[in-house]
């Protein structure tokens, strides 16, 4: 049977992850605001663990070996998630959807907000997974690139779709076939995270900005444009604008996209590459238009009606946070029942109304409108068909590709 040695992280990969944790998407979300002061030390500790000496070889089977399932005898689930990623009651202690699940099923959920960032969390669970041991968690939520790695290493359990009828039926089409988990054999998305174009209507003189071409070529925007310091977002959006598919691009395509942005740097069209700190400059008008994360725009618009967003006709990049059952989890069936529960329309609506990310559940608009009509019509939370059809994902990268691409991107942004 084929043996697989988990790859170590290269210097460019480590630098990219540090950049992400410092000021990238990992630093911007609602859930991260409460953990900003403590994340850096934890994250860099996790990075050190990932780059340290090798671990025992793991079997590369694409799925974890079947584990003993104690769900019937032990009515419980151990669920690890990010901070501020679950609905909370008015008492600021109860969790209404989880409490309702327990009342219905009798399954108690030990809910822990112990995911500070993907790298640090992987550093926590990797030793047990590599040793073939239970991590103590039945359900975890990780971002797509880490979900892909866990699945590739054979450290995720294949799901029984008989226990997931709502998830199977209601999963939005745009999330159904990621290249790292075709057909969602091992994962289901918790939320989607779109990358769009944002602009300050006052700073653009009332002009709409709706393409990367405008960002890079419009002389009226010179010096007031920013791109993101996350490679997949900025390169992905540029590839789309060039007519290339981020899901199947070549080395030459990548180089061309970086070269196009390099021209924007050289001509000073691009002001800078940013993490979440673009939000303040966008609100003030120092940045007129930029590549942005949709979750930011929802929050900015609440305070500044001049902030607008657009979906390029060429498409936009979407990533996702995903539910996985780790290898050796004791309560797989119970975890699958909880996963499926969050794809029931009323439950999905309640969660979406609280966390304000893209809901991956199709048909939820009516239920969400009962809670908040403005949210039900917000395409950054519920993409309409036209918007969903333009969604594209950045393809999975090999370790060698990631090293090479991150090195080139770091040269572009001066990191």
């Amino acid at each position: 049977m084929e043996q697989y040695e988990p790859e170590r992280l290269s210097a460019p990969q480590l630098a990219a992850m540090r950049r992400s944790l410092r000021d990238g998407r990992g630093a911007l979300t609602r859930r991260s605001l409460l953990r900003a002061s403590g994340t850096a030390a934890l994250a860099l500790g996790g990075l050190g663990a990932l780059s340290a000496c090798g671990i025992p070889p793991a079997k590369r089977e694409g799925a974890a070996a079947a584990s003993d399932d104690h769900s019937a005898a032990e009515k419980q689930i151990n669920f690890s998630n990010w901070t501020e990623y679950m609905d909370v009651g008015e008492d600021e202690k109860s969790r209404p959807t989880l409490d309702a699940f327990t009342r219905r099923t009798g399954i108690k959920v030990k809910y822990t907000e112990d995911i500070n960032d993907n790298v640090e969390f992987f550093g926590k669970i990797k030793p047990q997974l590599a040793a073939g041991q239970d991590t103590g968690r039945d359900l975890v939520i990780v971002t797509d690139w880490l979900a892909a790695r866990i699945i590739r290493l054979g450290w995720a359990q294949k799901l029984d779709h008989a226990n997931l009828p709502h998830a199977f039926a209601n999963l939005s089409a745009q999330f159904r076939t990621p290249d790292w988990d075709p057909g969602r054999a091992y994962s289901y998305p918790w939320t989607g995270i779109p990358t769009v174009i944002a602009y300050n209507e006052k700073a653009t003189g009332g002009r709409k900005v709706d393409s990367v071409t405008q960002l890079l070529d419009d002389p009226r925007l010179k010096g007031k444009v920013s791109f993101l310091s996350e490679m997949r977002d900025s390169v992905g959006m540029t590839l789309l604008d060039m007519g290339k598919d981020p899901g199947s691009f070549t080395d030459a395509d990548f180089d061309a996209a970086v070269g196009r942005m390099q021209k924007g740097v050289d001509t000073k069209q691009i002001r800078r590459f940013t993490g979440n700190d673009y939000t303040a400059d966008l609100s003030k008008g120092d940045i007129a238009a930029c590549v942005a994360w949709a979750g930011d725009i929802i929050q900015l618009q609440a305070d500044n009606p001049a902030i607008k967003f657009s979906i390029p006709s060429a498409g936009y990049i979407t990533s996702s946070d995903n539910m996985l059952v780790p290898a050796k989890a004791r309560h797989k069936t119970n975890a699958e029942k909880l996963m499926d529960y969050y794809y029931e329309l009323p439950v999905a609506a309640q969660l979406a109304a609280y966390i304000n990310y893209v809901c991956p559940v199709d048909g939820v608009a009516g239920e969400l409108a009962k809670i908040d009509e403005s949210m039900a019509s917000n395409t950054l939370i519920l993409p309409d068909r036209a918007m969903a059809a333009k969604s594209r994902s950045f393809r999975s990268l090999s370790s060698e590709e990631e090293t090479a691409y991150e090195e080139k991107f770091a040269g572009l942004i001066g990191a």
Side-chain angles (χ1 to χ4, degrees):
M1 185 173 293
E2 180 183 7
Q3 298 292 307
Y4 181 68
E5 179 71 24
E7 66 267 25
R8 299 180 184 181
L9 297 181
S10 67
Q13 288 172 310
L14 290 169
M17 289 180 181
R18 289 189 179 99
R19 190 169 67 242
S20 175
L21 297 173
R22 183 181 65 244
D23 53 24
R25 191 174 71 216
L28 73 92
T29 57
R30 288 179 71 236
R31 61 180 184 250
S32 68
L33 296 178
L34 299 181
R35 59 183 168 85
S37 61
T39 297
L42 288 171
L44 294 180
L47 288 168
L50 284 173
S51 59
C53 59
I55 59 175
K59 295 177 181 178
R60 188 179 185 183
E61 302 176 79
S67 302
D68 292 335
D69 191 348
H70 301 268
S71 292
E74 300 173 4
K75 296 291 187 179
Q76 65 185 73
I77 300 170
N78 296 313
F79 183 4
S80 285
N81 202 350
W82 301 73
T83 302
E84 291 292 298
Y85 229 16
M86 180 66 71
D87 55 302
V88 178
E90 293 182 1
D91 60 3
E92 298 185 358
K93 295 180 180 180
S94 62
R95 303 191 181 278
T97 57
L98 286 177
D99 295 342
F101 174 80
T102 297
R103 288 194 298 270
R104 182 200 294 184
T105 64
I107 299 170
K108 295 182 179 179
V109 182
K110 181 182 178 182
Y111 183 75
T112 308
E113 295 177 326
D114 63 342
I115 304 180
N116 291 307
D117 60 75
N118 288 287
V119 177
E120 181 263 332
F121 182 66
F122 189 47
K124 283 183 183 179
I125 64 175
K126 187 179 75 167
Q128 293 101 316
L129 291 171
Q133 298 172 353
D134 179 14
T135 66
R137 299 166 176 86
D138 303 302
L139 188 63
V140 301
I141 293 180
V142 294
T143 304
D144 43 18
W145 67 265
L146 180 54
R149 177 173 293 176
I150 291 172
I151 292 169
R152 185 175 69 248
L153 292 172
W155 293 343
Q157 295 196 51
K158 191 171 185 177
L159 302 174
D160 182 352
H161 287 280
N163 295 327
L164 296 156
H166 296 95
F168 184 80
N170 295 337
L171 177 60
S172 174
Q174 74 179 105
F175 295 102
R176 283 191 177 272
T177 56
D179 67 348
W180 48 269
D181 187 16
R184 290 289 180 179
Y186 306 101
S187 69
Y188 269 91
W190 183 252
T191 55
I193 307 168
T195 302
V196 298
I197 289 178
Y199 59 99
N200 184 319
E201 199 171 42
K202 289 183 178 179
T204 65
R207 298 189 309 278
K208 182 178 182 180
V209 180
D210 60 3
S211 72
V212 170
T213 292
Q214 280 179 274
L215 294 179
L216 292 174
D217 296 341
D218 187 342
R220 295 171 294 183
L221 297 176
K222 185 173 182 178
K224 290 192 171 185
V225 168
S226 68
F227 279 67
L228 294 168
S229 59
E230 292 279 0
M231 178 190 71
R232 288 167 176 81
D233 296 298
S234 287
V235 173
M237 292 291 281
T238 304
L239 284 168
L240 283 167
D241 191 72
M242 296 167 60
K244 303 296 182 179
D245 183 357
S248 60
F249 63 89
T250 65
D251 289 348
D253 295 332
F254 182 90
D255 290 345
V258 170
R260 191 167 179 217
M261 285 184 284
Q262 184 66 61
K263 181 180 177 181
V265 172
D266 294 342
T267 62
K268 301 190 184 305
Q269 178 78 8
I270 297 175
R271 182 186 185 96
R272 60 194 180 102
F273 288 82
T274 75
N276 64 310
D277 52 326
Y278 71 88
T279 56
D281 285 346
L282 181 63
S283 289
K284 290 186 296 184
D286 292 341
I287 290 175
C290 59
V291 177
W293 288 298
D296 279 345
I297 306 311
I298 295 173
Q299 297 173 38
L300 291 176
Q301 287 179 326
D303 298 320
N304 187 345
I307 303 301
K308 308 292 183 182
F309 78 94
S310 61
I311 303 299
S313 59
Y316 66 101
I317 295 292
T318 298
S319 55
S320 58
D321 284 338
N322 307 273
M323 297 180 278
L324 293 174
V325 179
K328 297 298 181 179
R330 289 178 61 87
H331 310 110
K332 175 176 177 283
T333 298
N334 290 345
E336 290 167 339
K337 289 179 179 178
L338 185 62
M339 292 170 71
D340 192 63
Y341 171 73
Y342 278 101
Y343 275 78
E344 295 180 17
L345 301 186
V347 181
Q350 191 169 347
L351 180 67
Y354 183 82
I355 65 175
N356 295 171
Y357 285 82
V358 168
C359 180
V361 182
D362 198 21
V364 77
E367 293 294 334
L368 187 55
K370 296 176 184 178
I371 301 171
D372 188 324
E373 289 187 5
S374 66
M375 288 186 180
S377 61
N378 189 329
T379 55
L380 294 182
I381 298 175
L382 292 183
D384 56 22
R385 288 187 179 182
M387 180 173 171
K390 295 179 180 179
S391 172
R392 298 291 184 271
S393 297
F394 199 93
R395 70 171 173 83
S396 299
L397 302 177
S398 68
S399 182
E400 293 78 12
E401 285 178 322
E402 189 167 17
T403 297
Y405 292 171
E406 285 289 3
E407 187 169 12
K408 292 175 181 178
F409 188 69
L412 167 70
I413 68 176

